[in-house]
Amino acid sequence: MEKRIKKGKASQVLVLGLDGSGKTSILNSIAANKGKLTTTPTATEGVNAICINNGNSKTEFLEIGGSEQLRPYWKMYLARALAVIFVVDSADHSRLPLAKRHLHQLIQQDSVLPLLVLANKQDLKNAYHITDIHDALALSEICENRRLFLIGTHVTKDDHDVSSGILDAKEFLAQLLSENSATIT
């Protein structure tokens, strides 16, 4: 964990996942504390960064696009990260094996980095249940030395409401970052 210690009170959380998984929508919901902010899907071409100030600390969420061309760059950002959020589309069954492969390749780069897997789009009719996502991603194979959490999420249609899964993810991140704040200062 030594390599993640930085001066100041900033911390960085990587937001990764295949293209179309809903990373940007989730990130916007976390940052704005609102439901869906856009109605059209967007593809992040490169990096999307959002900073959230919580009094005396600052958290930078760094979303890296999930297209095939950008996935090789994910590992370059691990050294500065305090945690990784990995977003999967629970309704895109055919791409879960690809998501599993990239997730496992990524986490081999760092054996202790905390991981929050968000099984997104749980509101869709054909979405896999969270236990099916756990099995499809073979999460039991990767949680030996790391903190791992799997939360079902969806971005609400209403601008004013945030789903309970998003609130749970925010609570987990706040707890994780506050636990690590003693090692950051």
Side-chain angles (χ1 to χ4, degrees):
M1 194 84 150
E2 299 282 297
K3 66 182 179 179
R4 280 185 213 87
I5 296 174
K6 299 181 288 289
K7 292 185 179 183
K9 295 204 179 206
S11 55
Q12 189 175 77
V13 176
L14 292 180
V15 181
L16 306 172
L18 299 182
D19 49 316
S21 61
K23 298 179 300 297
T24 302
S25 295
I26 284 183
L27 185 56
N28 287 338
S29 290
I30 288 172
N33 209 24
K34 290 184 180 180
K36 193 169 189 172
L37 301 177
T38 59
T39 56
T40 55
T42 59
T44 300
E45 297 295 329
V47 176
N48 178 25
I50 294 179
C51 280
I52 299 176
N53 288 313
N54 295 340
N56 59 356
S57 68
K58 177 174 78 169
T59 303
E60 178 183 45
F61 290 85
L62 191 64
E63 174 196 356
I64 304 167
S67 67
E68 189 174 342
Q69 299 89 338
L70 295 172
R71 292 178 210 144
Y73 296 101
W74 291 354
K75 64 184 174 198
M76 294 172 45
Y77 294 89
L78 289 176
R80 293 197 49 193
L82 288 176
V84 170
I85 298 174
F86 193 84
V87 182
V88 295
D89 181 341
S90 301
D92 192 352
H93 306 171
S94 65
R95 294 185 76 200
L96 283 172
L98 180 62
K100 172 191 169 189
R101 185 181 69 180
H102 285 289
L103 174 60
H104 283 253
Q105 287 172 351
L106 178 72
I107 55 112
Q108 287 175 352
Q109 305 292 317
D110 188 313
S111 63
V112 296
L113 189 63
L115 176 65
L116 174 59
V117 177
L118 299 181
N120 197 27
K121 304 183 185 181
Q122 286 289 302
D123 57 327
L124 298 181
K125 189 179 200 178
N126 61 336
Y128 273 168
H129 187 270
I130 200 162
T131 55
D132 298 321
I133 297 293
H134 184 277
D135 294 343
L137 296 177
L139 295 179
S140 58
E141 295 175 13
I142 62 173
C143 64
E144 195 170 309
N145 293 326
R146 84 178 64 247
R147 294 180 67 188
L148 170 79
F149 295 88
L150 173 62
I151 298 175
T153 62
H154 70 278
V155 178
T156 63
K157 307 289 187 256
D158 185 338
D159 280 348
H160 302 292
D161 293 331
V162 177
S163 72
S164 62
I166 298 289
L167 293 174
D168 290 344
K170 285 180 72 167
E171 184 177 314
F172 164 75
L173 286 168
Q175 178 183 349
L176 178 68
L177 295 173
S178 71
E179 289 170 6
N180 285 321
S181 66
T183 60
I184 296 172
T185 56

PDB file of all heavy atoms in Angstrom, residues 46-78:
ATOM      1  N   GLY A  46     -11.317   8.522 -23.892  1.00  0.00           N
ATOM      2  CA  GLY A  46     -10.175   8.996 -23.126  1.00  0.00           C
ATOM      3  C   GLY A  46     -10.472   8.954 -21.656  1.00  0.00           C
ATOM      4  O   GLY A  46     -10.879   7.935 -21.124  1.00  0.00           O
ATOM      5  N   VAL A  47     -10.313  10.116 -20.987  1.00  0.00           N
ATOM      6  CA  VAL A  47     -10.436  10.175 -19.541  1.00  0.00           C
ATOM      7  C   VAL A  47     -11.464  11.232 -19.153  1.00  0.00           C
ATOM      8  O   VAL A  47     -11.519  12.304 -19.741  1.00  0.00           O
ATOM      9  CB  VAL A  47      -9.067  10.526 -18.903  1.00  0.00           C
ATOM     10  CG1 VAL A  47      -9.184  10.691 -17.406  1.00  0.00           C
ATOM     11  CG2 VAL A  47      -8.038   9.452 -19.238  1.00  0.00           C
ATOM     12  N   ASN A  48     -12.261  10.905 -18.164  1.00  0.00           N
ATOM     13  CA  ASN A  48     -13.236  11.820 -17.590  1.00  0.00           C
ATOM     14  C   ASN A  48     -12.902  11.926 -16.105  1.00  0.00           C
ATOM     15  O   ASN A  48     -12.892  10.921 -15.409  1.00  0.00           O
ATOM     16  CB  ASN A  48     -14.644  11.259 -17.805  1.00  0.00           C
ATOM     17  CG  ASN A  48     -15.730  12.112 -17.207  1.00  0.00           C
ATOM     18  OD1 ASN A  48     -15.572  13.311 -17.017  1.00  0.00           O
ATOM     19  ND2 ASN A  48     -16.858  11.484 -16.907  1.00  0.00           N
ATOM     20  N   ALA A  49     -12.596  13.116 -15.628  1.00  0.00           N
ATOM     21  CA  ALA A  49     -12.230  13.298 -14.221  1.00  0.00           C
ATOM     22  C   ALA A  49     -13.227  14.205 -13.529  1.00  0.00           C
ATOM     23  O   ALA A  49     -13.622  15.233 -14.075  1.00  0.00           O
ATOM     24  CB  ALA A  49     -10.832  13.885 -14.106  1.00  0.00           C
ATOM     25  N   ILE A  50     -13.626  13.804 -12.332  1.00  0.00           N
ATOM     26  CA  ILE A  50     -14.521  14.597 -11.497  1.00  0.00           C
ATOM     27  C   ILE A  50     -13.936  14.628 -10.100  1.00  0.00           C
ATOM     28  O   ILE A  50     -13.566  13.586  -9.551  1.00  0.00           O
ATOM     29  CB  ILE A  50     -15.939  14.004 -11.460  1.00  0.00           C
ATOM     30  CG1 ILE A  50     -16.587  14.085 -12.837  1.00  0.00           C
ATOM     31  CG2 ILE A  50     -16.800  14.710 -10.420  1.00  0.00           C
ATOM     32  CD1 ILE A  50     -17.982  13.494 -12.907  1.00  0.00           C
ATOM     33  N   CYS A  51     -13.818  15.817  -9.514  1.00  0.00           N
ATOM     34  CA  CYS A  51     -13.346  15.967  -8.134  1.00  0.00           C
ATOM     35  C   CYS A  51     -14.519  16.295  -7.230  1.00  0.00           C
ATOM     36  O   CYS A  51     -15.360  17.110  -7.584  1.00  0.00           O
ATOM     37  CB  CYS A  51     -12.305  17.083  -8.028  1.00  0.00           C
ATOM     38  SG  CYS A  51     -10.688  16.560  -8.557  1.00  0.00           S
ATOM     39  N   ILE A  52     -14.529  15.654  -6.074  1.00  0.00           N
ATOM     40  CA  ILE A  52     -15.545  15.921  -5.068  1.00  0.00           C
ATOM     41  C   ILE A  52     -14.832  16.366  -3.804  1.00  0.00           C
ATOM     42  O   ILE A  52     -13.958  15.659  -3.297  1.00  0.00           O
ATOM     43  CB  ILE A  52     -16.400  14.671  -4.791  1.00  0.00           C
ATOM     44  CG1 ILE A  52     -17.120  14.217  -6.061  1.00  0.00           C
ATOM     45  CG2 ILE A  52     -17.405  14.950  -3.673  1.00  0.00           C
ATOM     46  CD1 ILE A  52     -17.906  12.936  -5.905  1.00  0.00           C
ATOM     47  N   ASN A  53     -15.197  17.551  -3.315  1.00  0.00           N
ATOM     48  CA  ASN A  53     -14.634  18.069  -2.076  1.00  0.00           C
ATOM     49  C   ASN A  53     -15.582  17.761  -0.932  1.00  0.00           C
ATOM     50  O   ASN A  53     -16.761  18.084  -1.002  1.00  0.00           O
ATOM     51  CB  ASN A  53     -14.420  19.584  -2.163  1.00  0.00           C
ATOM     52  CG  ASN A  53     -13.274  19.925  -3.075  1.00  0.00           C
ATOM     53  OD1 ASN A  53     -12.206  19.334  -2.975  1.00  0.00           O
ATOM     54  ND2 ASN A  53     -13.493  20.871  -3.969  1.00  0.00           N
ATOM     55  N   ASN A  54     -15.055  17.136   0.105  1.00  0.00           N
ATOM     56  CA  ASN A  54     -15.827  16.826   1.303  1.00  0.00           C
ATOM     57  C   ASN A  54     -15.167  17.497   2.493  1.00  0.00           C
ATOM     58  O   ASN A  54     -14.490  16.853   3.272  1.00  0.00           O
ATOM     59  CB  ASN A  54     -15.890  15.310   1.542  1.00  0.00           C
ATOM     60  CG  ASN A  54     -16.639  14.593   0.448  1.00  0.00           C
ATOM     61  OD1 ASN A  54     -17.404  15.206  -0.272  1.00  0.00           O
ATOM     62  ND2 ASN A  54     -16.426  13.299   0.321  1.00  0.00           N
ATOM     63  N   GLY A  55     -15.340  18.784   2.600  1.00  0.00           N
ATOM     64  CA  GLY A  55     -14.741  19.505   3.720  1.00  0.00           C
ATOM     65  C   GLY A  55     -13.233  19.571   3.596  1.00  0.00           C
ATOM     66  O   GLY A  55     -12.701  20.301   2.782  1.00  0.00           O
ATOM     67  N   ASN A  56     -12.528  18.759   4.400  1.00  0.00           N
ATOM     68  CA  ASN A  56     -11.068  18.822   4.398  1.00  0.00           C
ATOM     69  C   ASN A  56     -10.404  17.763   3.522  1.00  0.00           C
ATOM     70  O   ASN A  56      -9.206  17.593   3.575  1.00  0.00           O
ATOM     71  CB  ASN A  56     -10.537  18.736   5.832  1.00  0.00           C
ATOM     72  CG  ASN A  56     -10.969  17.456   6.515  1.00  0.00           C
ATOM     73  OD1 ASN A  56     -11.718  16.670   5.958  1.00  0.00           O
ATOM     74  ND2 ASN A  56     -10.494  17.259   7.731  1.00  0.00           N
ATOM     75  N   SER A  57     -11.177  17.055   2.734  1.00  0.00           N
ATOM     76  CA  SER A  57     -10.577  16.073   1.827  1.00  0.00           C
ATOM     77  C   SER A  57     -11.144  16.232   0.422  1.00  0.00           C
ATOM     78  O   SER A  57     -12.214  16.799   0.221  1.00  0.00           O
ATOM     79  CB  SER A  57     -10.813  14.647   2.331  1.00  0.00           C
ATOM     80  OG  SER A  57     -12.181  14.322   2.254  1.00  0.00           O
ATOM     81  N   LYS A  58     -10.395  15.742  -0.537  1.00  0.00           N
ATOM     82  CA  LYS A  58     -10.786  15.839  -1.940  1.00  0.00           C
ATOM     83  C   LYS A  58     -10.606  14.464  -2.569  1.00  0.00           C
ATOM     84  O   LYS A  58      -9.572  13.828  -2.374  1.00  0.00           O
ATOM     85  CB  LYS A  58      -9.917  16.875  -2.635  1.00  0.00           C
ATOM     86  CG  LYS A  58     -10.192  17.014  -4.120  1.00  0.00           C
ATOM     87  CD  LYS A  58      -9.394  18.152  -4.722  1.00  0.00           C
ATOM     88  CE  LYS A  58      -7.968  17.729  -4.931  1.00  0.00           C
ATOM     89  NZ  LYS A  58      -7.192  18.662  -5.740  1.00  0.00           N
ATOM     90  N   THR A  59     -11.621  14.009  -3.303  1.00  0.00           N
ATOM     91  CA  THR A  59     -11.541  12.732  -3.997  1.00  0.00           C
ATOM     92  C   THR A  59     -11.655  12.981  -5.488  1.00  0.00           C
ATOM     93  O   THR A  59     -12.586  13.641  -5.944  1.00  0.00           O
ATOM     94  CB  THR A  59     -12.664  11.776  -3.547  1.00  0.00           C
ATOM     95  OG1 THR A  59     -12.588  11.607  -2.137  1.00  0.00           O
ATOM     96  CG2 THR A  59     -12.515  10.421  -4.227  1.00  0.00           C
ATOM     97  N   GLU A  60     -10.705  12.445  -6.237  1.00  0.00           N
ATOM     98  CA  GLU A  60     -10.741  12.546  -7.686  1.00  0.00           C
ATOM     99  C   GLU A  60     -11.199  11.205  -8.237  1.00  0.00           C
ATOM    100  O   GLU A  60     -10.597  10.165  -7.952  1.00  0.00           O
ATOM    101  CB  GLU A  60      -9.358  12.884  -8.241  1.00  0.00           C
ATOM    102  CG  GLU A  60      -9.348  12.961  -9.751  1.00  0.00           C
ATOM    103  CD  GLU A  60      -7.965  13.213 -10.313  1.00  0.00           C
ATOM    104  OE1 GLU A  60      -7.005  12.553  -9.855  1.00  0.00           O
ATOM    105  OE2 GLU A  60      -7.850  14.054 -11.204  1.00  0.00           O
ATOM    106  N   PHE A  61     -12.287  11.233  -8.985  1.00  0.00           N
ATOM    107  CA  PHE A  61     -12.779  10.051  -9.675  1.00  0.00           C
ATOM    108  C   PHE A  61     -12.281  10.142 -11.110  1.00  0.00           C
ATOM    109  O   PHE A  61     -12.576  11.110 -11.813  1.00  0.00           O
ATOM    110  CB  PHE A  61     -14.307   9.990  -9.644  1.00  0.00           C
ATOM    111  CG  PHE A  61     -14.857   9.694  -8.277  1.00  0.00           C
ATOM    112  CD1 PHE A  61     -15.065  10.710  -7.362  1.00  0.00           C
ATOM    113  CD2 PHE A  61     -15.137   8.389  -7.904  1.00  0.00           C
ATOM    114  CE1 PHE A  61     -15.562  10.438  -6.099  1.00  0.00           C
ATOM    115  CE2 PHE A  61     -15.640   8.109  -6.648  1.00  0.00           C
ATOM    116  CZ  PHE A  61     -15.855   9.133  -5.735  1.00  0.00           C
ATOM    117  N   LEU A  62     -11.523   9.155 -11.522  1.00  0.00           N
ATOM    118  CA  LEU A  62     -10.929   9.150 -12.848  1.00  0.00           C
ATOM    119  C   LEU A  62     -11.527   8.001 -13.648  1.00  0.00           C
ATOM    120  O   LEU A  62     -11.251   6.836 -13.382  1.00  0.00           O
ATOM    121  CB  LEU A  62      -9.410   8.991 -12.726  1.00  0.00           C
ATOM    122  CG  LEU A  62      -8.596   9.225 -13.973  1.00  0.00           C
ATOM    123  CD1 LEU A  62      -8.730  10.673 -14.441  1.00  0.00           C
ATOM    124  CD2 LEU A  62      -7.134   8.903 -13.701  1.00  0.00           C
ATOM    125  N   GLU A  63     -12.394   8.354 -14.578  1.00  0.00           N
ATOM    126  CA  GLU A  63     -13.018   7.358 -15.456  1.00  0.00           C
ATOM    127  C   GLU A  63     -12.197   7.258 -16.724  1.00  0.00           C
ATOM    128  O   GLU A  63     -11.937   8.255 -17.391  1.00  0.00           O
ATOM    129  CB  GLU A  63     -14.451   7.776 -15.798  1.00  0.00           C
ATOM    130  CG  GLU A  63     -15.091   6.866 -16.815  1.00  0.00           C
ATOM    131  CD  GLU A  63     -16.329   7.464 -17.461  1.00  0.00           C
ATOM    132  OE1 GLU A  63     -16.747   8.568 -17.075  1.00  0.00           O
ATOM    133  OE2 GLU A  63     -16.848   6.823 -18.386  1.00  0.00           O
ATOM    134  N   ILE A  64     -11.800   6.043 -17.050  1.00  0.00           N
ATOM    135  CA  ILE A  64     -11.059   5.809 -18.285  1.00  0.00           C
ATOM    136  C   ILE A  64     -11.967   5.018 -19.209  1.00  0.00           C
ATOM    137  O   ILE A  64     -12.577   4.028 -18.795  1.00  0.00           O
ATOM    138  CB  ILE A  64      -9.747   5.055 -18.013  1.00  0.00           C
ATOM    139  CG1 ILE A  64      -8.924   5.846 -16.997  1.00  0.00           C
ATOM    140  CG2 ILE A  64      -8.975   4.843 -19.308  1.00  0.00           C
ATOM    141  CD1 ILE A  64      -7.781   5.082 -16.417  1.00  0.00           C
ATOM    142  N   GLY A  65     -12.071   5.472 -20.447  1.00  0.00           N
ATOM    143  CA  GLY A  65     -12.973   4.841 -21.406  1.00  0.00           C
ATOM    144  C   GLY A  65     -12.780   3.334 -21.488  1.00  0.00           C
ATOM    145  O   GLY A  65     -11.700   2.809 -21.250  1.00  0.00           O
ATOM    146  N   GLY A  66     -13.853   2.645 -21.825  1.00  0.00           N
ATOM    147  CA  GLY A  66     -13.838   1.182 -21.850  1.00  0.00           C
ATOM    148  C   GLY A  66     -13.770   0.569 -23.228  1.00  0.00           C
ATOM    149  O   GLY A  66     -13.945  -0.646 -23.378  1.00  0.00           O
ATOM    150  N   SER A  67     -13.492   1.378 -24.247  1.00  0.00           N
ATOM    151  CA  SER A  67     -13.383   0.819 -25.594  1.00  0.00           C
ATOM    152  C   SER A  67     -12.143  -0.072 -25.701  1.00  0.00           C
ATOM    153  O   SER A  67     -11.220   0.025 -24.894  1.00  0.00           O
ATOM    154  CB  SER A  67     -13.311   1.931 -26.642  1.00  0.00           C
ATOM    155  OG  SER A  67     -12.105   2.646 -26.510  1.00  0.00           O
ATOM    156  N   GLU A  68     -12.132  -0.907 -26.681  1.00  0.00           N
ATOM    157  CA  GLU A  68     -11.022  -1.852 -26.868  1.00  0.00           C
ATOM    158  C   GLU A  68      -9.671  -1.134 -26.962  1.00  0.00           C
ATOM    159  O   GLU A  68      -8.669  -1.610 -26.433  1.00  0.00           O
ATOM    160  CB  GLU A  68     -11.269  -2.680 -28.128  1.00  0.00           C
ATOM    161  CG  GLU A  68     -10.312  -3.820 -28.301  1.00  0.00           C
ATOM    162  CD  GLU A  68     -10.669  -4.706 -29.480  1.00  0.00           C
ATOM    163  OE1 GLU A  68     -11.805  -4.665 -29.963  1.00  0.00           O
ATOM    164  OE2 GLU A  68      -9.767  -5.451 -29.915  1.00  0.00           O
ATOM    165  N   GLN A  69      -9.641   0.028 -27.600  1.00  0.00           N
ATOM    166  CA  GLN A  69      -8.395   0.774 -27.758  1.00  0.00           C
ATOM    167  C   GLN A  69      -7.880   1.349 -26.437  1.00  0.00           C
ATOM    168  O   GLN A  69      -6.685   1.568 -26.275  1.00  0.00           O
ATOM    169  CB  GLN A  69      -8.562   1.931 -28.758  1.00  0.00           C
ATOM    170  CG  GLN A  69      -8.947   1.514 -30.146  1.00  0.00           C
ATOM    171  CD  GLN A  69     -10.468   1.432 -30.315  1.00  0.00           C
ATOM    172  OE1 GLN A  69     -11.227   1.289 -29.364  1.00  0.00           O
ATOM    173  NE2 GLN A  69     -10.902   1.503 -31.558  1.00  0.00           N
ATOM    174  N   LEU A  70      -8.781   1.648 -25.488  1.00  0.00           N
ATOM    175  CA  LEU A  70      -8.376   2.298 -24.242  1.00  0.00           C
ATOM    176  C   LEU A  70      -8.094   1.330 -23.095  1.00  0.00           C
ATOM    177  O   LEU A  70      -7.417   1.694 -22.137  1.00  0.00           O
ATOM    178  CB  LEU A  70      -9.446   3.306 -23.808  1.00  0.00           C
ATOM    179  CG  LEU A  70      -9.618   4.489 -24.759  1.00  0.00           C
ATOM    180  CD1 LEU A  70     -10.817   5.323 -24.346  1.00  0.00           C
ATOM    181  CD2 LEU A  70      -8.362   5.336 -24.789  1.00  0.00           C
ATOM    182  N   ARG A  71      -8.599   0.118 -23.164  1.00  0.00           N
ATOM    183  CA  ARG A  71      -8.424  -0.830 -22.054  1.00  0.00           C
ATOM    184  C   ARG A  71      -6.976  -1.107 -21.692  1.00  0.00           C
ATOM    185  O   ARG A  71      -6.671  -1.255 -20.500  1.00  0.00           O
ATOM    186  CB  ARG A  71      -9.148  -2.141 -22.360  1.00  0.00           C
ATOM    187  CG  ARG A  71     -10.642  -2.001 -22.375  1.00  0.00           C
ATOM    188  CD  ARG A  71     -11.321  -3.314 -22.730  1.00  0.00           C
ATOM    189  NE  ARG A  71     -12.574  -3.019 -23.402  1.00  0.00           N
ATOM    190  CZ  ARG A  71     -13.081  -3.725 -24.384  1.00  0.00           C
ATOM    191  NH1 ARG A  71     -12.468  -4.808 -24.819  1.00  0.00           N
ATOM    192  NH2 ARG A  71     -14.219  -3.379 -24.932  1.00  0.00           N
ATOM    193  N   PRO A  72      -6.041  -1.156 -22.634  1.00  0.00           N
ATOM    194  CA  PRO A  72      -4.640  -1.388 -22.246  1.00  0.00           C
ATOM    195  C   PRO A  72      -4.067  -0.291 -21.339  1.00  0.00           C
ATOM    196  O   PRO A  72      -3.097  -0.525 -20.622  1.00  0.00           O
ATOM    197  CB  PRO A  72      -3.895  -1.421 -23.584  1.00  0.00           C
ATOM    198  CG  PRO A  72      -4.922  -1.802 -24.595  1.00  0.00           C
ATOM    199  CD  PRO A  72      -6.201  -1.185 -24.097  1.00  0.00           C
ATOM    200  N   TYR A  73      -4.653   0.896 -21.330  1.00  0.00           N
ATOM    201  CA  TYR A  73      -4.155   2.003 -20.521  1.00  0.00           C
ATOM    202  C   TYR A  73      -4.618   1.949 -19.067  1.00  0.00           C
ATOM    203  O   TYR A  73      -4.082   2.661 -18.226  1.00  0.00           O
ATOM    204  CB  TYR A  73      -4.571   3.349 -21.144  1.00  0.00           C
ATOM    205  CG  TYR A  73      -3.937   3.559 -22.495  1.00  0.00           C
ATOM    206  CD1 TYR A  73      -4.655   3.337 -23.658  1.00  0.00           C
ATOM    207  CD2 TYR A  73      -2.607   3.951 -22.600  1.00  0.00           C
ATOM    208  CE1 TYR A  73      -4.075   3.520 -24.906  1.00  0.00           C
ATOM    209  CE2 TYR A  73      -2.013   4.140 -23.839  1.00  0.00           C
ATOM    210  CZ  TYR A  73      -2.753   3.918 -24.989  1.00  0.00           C
ATOM    211  OH  TYR A  73      -2.171   4.079 -26.206  1.00  0.00           O
ATOM    212  N   TRP A  74      -5.614   1.125 -18.781  1.00  0.00           N
ATOM    213  CA  TRP A  74      -6.153   1.051 -17.421  1.00  0.00           C
ATOM    214  C   TRP A  74      -5.053   0.835 -16.391  1.00  0.00           C
ATOM    215  O   TRP A  74      -5.004   1.492 -15.368  1.00  0.00           O
ATOM    216  CB  TRP A  74      -7.186  -0.052 -17.291  1.00  0.00           C
ATOM    217  CG  TRP A  74      -8.478   0.172 -18.010  1.00  0.00           C
ATOM    218  CD1 TRP A  74      -8.884   1.296 -18.681  1.00  0.00           C
ATOM    219  CD2 TRP A  74      -9.545  -0.758 -18.115  1.00  0.00           C
ATOM    220  NE1 TRP A  74     -10.135   1.105 -19.195  1.00  0.00           N
ATOM    221  CE2 TRP A  74     -10.564  -0.140 -18.872  1.00  0.00           C
ATOM    222  CE3 TRP A  74      -9.740  -2.050 -17.670  1.00  0.00           C
ATOM    223  CZ2 TRP A  74     -11.769  -0.779 -19.157  1.00  0.00           C
ATOM    224  CZ3 TRP A  74     -10.932  -2.687 -17.951  1.00  0.00           C
ATOM    225  CH2 TRP A  74     -11.930  -2.052 -18.691  1.00  0.00           C
ATOM    226  N   LYS A  75      -4.174  -0.130 -16.653  1.00  0.00           N
ATOM    227  CA  LYS A  75      -3.161  -0.515 -15.652  1.00  0.00           C
ATOM    228  C   LYS A  75      -2.181   0.613 -15.340  1.00  0.00           C
ATOM    229  O   LYS A  75      -1.594   0.643 -14.263  1.00  0.00           O
ATOM    230  CB  LYS A  75      -2.427  -1.770 -16.097  1.00  0.00           C
ATOM    231  CG  LYS A  75      -1.635  -1.601 -17.365  1.00  0.00           C
ATOM    232  CD  LYS A  75      -1.019  -2.898 -17.810  1.00  0.00           C
ATOM    233  CE  LYS A  75      -0.363  -2.697 -19.155  1.00  0.00           C
ATOM    234  NZ  LYS A  75      -0.119  -3.935 -19.826  1.00  0.00           N
ATOM    235  N   MET A  76      -2.034   1.566 -16.247  1.00  0.00           N
ATOM    236  CA  MET A  76      -1.100   2.669 -16.026  1.00  0.00           C
ATOM    237  C   MET A  76      -1.529   3.571 -14.870  1.00  0.00           C
ATOM    238  O   MET A  76      -0.708   4.275 -14.296  1.00  0.00           O
ATOM    239  CB  MET A  76      -0.976   3.517 -17.300  1.00  0.00           C
ATOM    240  CG  MET A  76      -0.336   2.775 -18.448  1.00  0.00           C
ATOM    241  SD  MET A  76      -0.396   3.680 -20.013  1.00  0.00           S
ATOM    242  CE  MET A  76       0.075   5.319 -19.538  1.00  0.00           C
ATOM    243  N   TYR A  77      -2.796   3.554 -14.523  1.00  0.00           N
ATOM    244  CA  TYR A  77      -3.326   4.449 -13.498  1.00  0.00           C
ATOM    245  C   TYR A  77      -3.436   3.781 -12.121  1.00  0.00           C
ATOM    246  O   TYR A  77      -3.800   4.439 -11.149  1.00  0.00           O
ATOM    247  CB  TYR A  77      -4.698   4.969 -13.925  1.00  0.00           C
ATOM    248  CG  TYR A  77      -4.621   5.862 -15.147  1.00  0.00           C
ATOM    249  CD1 TYR A  77      -4.715   5.328 -16.421  1.00  0.00           C
ATOM    250  CD2 TYR A  77      -4.425   7.225 -15.009  1.00  0.00           C
ATOM    251  CE1 TYR A  77      -4.626   6.138 -17.545  1.00  0.00           C
ATOM    252  CE2 TYR A  77      -4.335   8.046 -16.117  1.00  0.00           C
ATOM    253  CZ  TYR A  77      -4.431   7.493 -17.386  1.00  0.00           C
ATOM    254  OH  TYR A  77      -4.333   8.299 -18.488  1.00  0.00           O
ATOM    255  N   LEU A  78      -3.130   2.509 -12.009  1.00  0.00           N
ATOM    256  CA  LEU A  78      -3.302   1.781 -10.754  1.00  0.00           C
ATOM    257  C   LEU A  78      -2.412   2.294  -9.626  1.00  0.00           C
ATOM    258  O   LEU A  78      -2.828   2.303  -8.470  1.00  0.00           O
ATOM    259  CB  LEU A  78      -3.047   0.286 -10.958  1.00  0.00           C
ATOM    260  CG  LEU A  78      -4.106  -0.470 -11.741  1.00  0.00           C
ATOM    261  CD1 LEU A  78      -3.655  -1.909 -11.951  1.00  0.00           C
ATOM    262  CD2 LEU A  78      -5.451  -0.418 -11.050  1.00  0.00           C
TER     263      LEU A  78
END
